[in-house]
């Protein structure tokens, strides 16, 4: 069985870890959330090339939703 507990402060984590370590059948695994690197976009790219890409084949919001649901099934 696995249980996940989210704790804000390191001191509370240490206290709770010490408590759990007193039990013989409990395994304590500490996992910090991975830091996702922030990558800045290329400002030289021109987004205007995307304007009117659906001009010859217009799509409604319902069409887009229907396509997305089919793709996820």
């Amino acid at each position: 069985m696995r249980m996940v507990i989210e704790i804000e402060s390191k001191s509370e984590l240490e206290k709770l870890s010490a408590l759990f370590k007193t039990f013989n059948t409990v395994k304590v695994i500490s996992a910090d959330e991975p830091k996702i690197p922030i990558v800045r976009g290329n400002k030289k790219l021109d987004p205007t090339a995307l304007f009117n890409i659906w001009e010859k084949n217009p799509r409604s919001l319902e069409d887009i939703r229907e396509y997305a649901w089919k793709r996820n099934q």
Side-chain angles (χ1 to χ4, degrees):
M1 186 181 317
R2 180 176 294 215
M3 178 174 63
V4 176
I5 301 174
E6 295 183 12
I7 298 178
E8 296 278 332
S9 69
K10 293 279 186 182
S11 64
E12 294 296 319
L13 176 63
E14 291 170 5
K15 291 175 190 175
L16 193 58
S17 294
L19 172 67
F20 283 137
K21 287 178 183 177
T22 61
F23 299 104
N24 292 334
T25 59
V26 176
K27 181 178 177 184
V28 177
I29 302 171
S30 177
D32 293 330
E33 290 185 23
K35 303 273 184 195
I36 300 173
I38 298 174
V39 179
R40 301 227 181 253
N42 185 349
K43 298 292 183 183
K44 295 177 183 176
L45 294 177
D46 184 19
T48 58
L50 296 174
F51 295 165
N52 297 323
I53 61 173
W54 300 112
E55 183 177 25
K56 294 180 183 174
N57 187 11
R59 304 213 173 171
S60 69
L61 189 56
E62 287 300 318
D63 294 337
I64 295 169
R65 284 186 182 132
E66 183 178 332
Y67 175 76
W69 276 105
K70 286 180 183 177
R71 189 181 69 208
N72 290 329
Q73 292 179 355

